[in-house]
Amino acid sequence: MLFHVRMDVNLPPSMPEAEAAELKRVERDKAQALQASGKWRHLWRIAGQYSNISLFDVDSVDELHTMISTLPLFPYMTIQVMPLCRHPSSIRDDDK
Ligand SMILES: O=C(O)C[C@H]1C=CC(=O)O1
């Protein structure tokens, strides 16, 4: 199952710089592990914003929820999820 996910990060300005840096480091490690697993298929920065557009390929909505809600930055993100299905006019024969 494919999901388009937008994540907008809002770290509180009062958060100490070292704490924010550590949070981002742990987040990066987790995001890269999920990408290596094939579950987090695409990760793109939205130009000019502390936001990303991602494509997840998971087995269920519950799996997606668990994946997203256990991200270290989850408490500081606004997240929008859009389920995707094949477009009847698509000429691609895969979903890559
Ligand atoms: O920077 C972000 O967009 C937030 C989050 C998503 C992946 C990652 O490494 O951090």
Side-chain angles (χ1 to χ4, degrees):
M1 302 172 73
L2 292 176
F3 292 89
H4 172 288
V5 178
R6 175 179 176 145
M7 304 180 203
D8 298 301
V9 186
N10 297 291
L11 290 177
S14 60
M15 180 180 282
E17 218 169 284
E19 189 182 336
E22 177 61 8
L23 206 48
K24 290 175 191 178
R25 188 191 65 74
V26 179
E27 175 83 13
R28 184 194 62 226
D29 288 352
K30 178 136 192 192
Q32 291 185 338
L34 288 170
Q35 287 172 79
S37 80
K39 296 283 182 181
W40 192 331
R41 206 186 279 178
H42 286 276
L43 172 59
W44 296 93
R45 178 64 76 216
I46 301 179
Q49 299 180 41
Y50 192 5
S51 305
N52 72 70
I53 294 291
S54 291
L55 196 71
F56 284 85
D57 187 356
V58 292
D59 295 329
S60 68
V61 178
D62 285 328
E63 183 183 17
L64 178 72
H65 180 72
T66 299
M67 215 170 271
I68 290 173
S69 62
T70 55
L71 290 173
L73 284 176
F74 179 74
Y76 306 103
M77 294 197 284
T78 302
I79 297 173
Q80 294 173 285
V81 175
M82 278 184 276
L84 302 176
C85 57
R86 286 193 59 77
H87 192 290
S89 303
S90 173
I91 62 166
R92 301 194 61 151
D93 60 1
D94 61 20
D95 59 0
K96 306 285 185 284

